[in-house]
Amino acid sequence: MKNLELLNVKEYNFNIGKYLSEGTELFKKDIGGFIVATLLLFVMSFIPFCGILGLGNFYKICKKVDEGQQVSAGDIFDFTDFVVYLKLFLLIFAVCIVIMFPVILSLLPLMLVAGVDGENVSNGDSALFAGGMGVWFLLMIVLIAAVSISMYFVQPLISVYRVTSVREAYRLSWKIARRNFFKIFLFSIVVGFISQLGMMVCGIGLLFSIPLGICIKYAAYKDVLESLNQKMV
């Protein structure tokens, strides 16, 4: 994948149905191993800053299973990319602060009025406050969705394709994702729904639905990134 930094991304096919099928087949190759890796991913998530690293390592496991390599569930605790993922975590944290700051700043006057007047706050002020919250809530959803899609390929680029610069991984991710923004957005919703289906079985089903969702995402990453890289050869 070393050619990606030279890539001039043009149109590419993003086949949601294909990824659902290939991800499911990948999951079937080692259901037990993926379930154990998911349990260890939960453990990894309790370590500060390491939840995002654990997910990146899960994609490495997906790649090994896909290529028929020997896999250990303990691979989830690989700290090779810790520094890169720490930088990514700080970037995501900074983005969240930037998104939240204007919301808090714009609503601060209304909150102060409500705090000073107490029970004397008029219905008009209450409606204005609620309306302001509603508008900012919708705007936040749009901004979060846009940022999430722009960063969609960052983790596989770091973990699977060994891009060691967060800035470069984000640049490439945005360049790739913007070409199929709405398809990727729809795909994210579908995979998110699949990943949460396990909640319907007393939560135990999450041990199946979460790794299945990750395998499906891996299938998309693999298809898109490898097809783009091959065009450079």
Side-chain angles (χ1 to χ4, degrees), residues 12-14 19 153 176 220-228:
Y12 60 89
N13 184 37
F14 193 87
Y19 305 147
F153 295 93
I176 297 169
Y221 296 146
K222 175 188 174 184
D223 181 70
V224 173
L225 296 176
E226 288 192 356
S227 64
L228 291 174

Side-chain angles (χ1 to χ4, degrees), residues 23-224:
T24 301
E25 290 304 313
L26 175 61
F27 178 64
K28 290 179 180 178
K29 286 184 177 181
D30 190 5
I31 295 177
F34 282 127
I35 290 177
V36 173
T38 302
L39 288 170
L40 295 178
L41 177 59
F42 291 155
V43 175
M44 190 76 159
S45 298
F46 286 104
I47 305 174
F49 314 119
C50 290
I52 190 171
L53 171 63
L55 181 57
N57 289 337
F58 205 117
Y59 293 128
K60 292 181 181 179
I61 293 175
C62 288
K63 184 175 187 294
K64 287 184 177 181
V65 173
D66 185 42
E67 296 177 349
Q69 299 181 29
Q70 185 68 32
V71 177
S72 169
D75 290 343
I76 207 79
F77 294 106
D78 181 7
F79 284 87
T80 303
D81 302 318
F82 176 77
V83 174
V84 182
Y85 272 105
L86 178 59
K87 293 178 181 178
L88 178 60
F89 175 85
L90 294 175
L91 172 63
I92 295 173
F93 182 77
V95 169
C96 291
I97 294 297
V98 170
I99 292 176
M100 288 296 299
F101 183 74
V103 177
I104 297 174
L105 190 64
S106 62
L107 294 177
L108 187 59
L110 290 174
M111 296 171 66
L112 290 175
V113 170
V116 172
D117 292 347
E119 296 180 356
N120 295 323
V121 178
S122 66
N123 291 333
D125 290 335
S126 299
L128 182 62
F129 181 77
M133 286 291 289
V135 170
W136 274 117
F137 180 72
L138 291 176
L139 181 58
M140 283 179 60
I141 291 177
V142 173
L143 288 174
I144 291 172
V147 172
S148 297
I149 300 305
S150 71
M151 300 183 72
Y152 200 75
F153 295 93
V154 169
Q155 282 191 286
L157 284 168
I158 292 173
S159 290
V160 181
Y161 297 105
R162 315 309 302 156
V163 176
T164 57
S165 166
V166 173
R167 179 179 179 181
E168 181 68 5
Y170 177 77
R171 185 183 71 82
L172 290 169
S173 177
W174 168 239
K175 183 182 285 190
I176 297 169
R178 68 182 180 180
R179 296 296 180 179
N180 273 296
F181 188 92
F182 292 106
K183 275 191 175 182
I184 293 175
F185 178 68
L186 176 60
F187 180 67
S188 299
I189 294 175
V190 172
V191 174
F193 177 75
I194 291 173
S195 298
Q196 297 304 314
L197 278 177
M199 291 293 294
M200 300 175 62
V201 191
C202 302
I204 301 298
L206 289 174
L207 294 177
F208 293 88
S209 61
I210 288 179
L212 173 59
I214 296 174
C215 287
I216 292 172
K217 290 177 69 175
Y218 170 80
Y221 296 146
K222 175 188 174 184
D223 181 70
V224 173

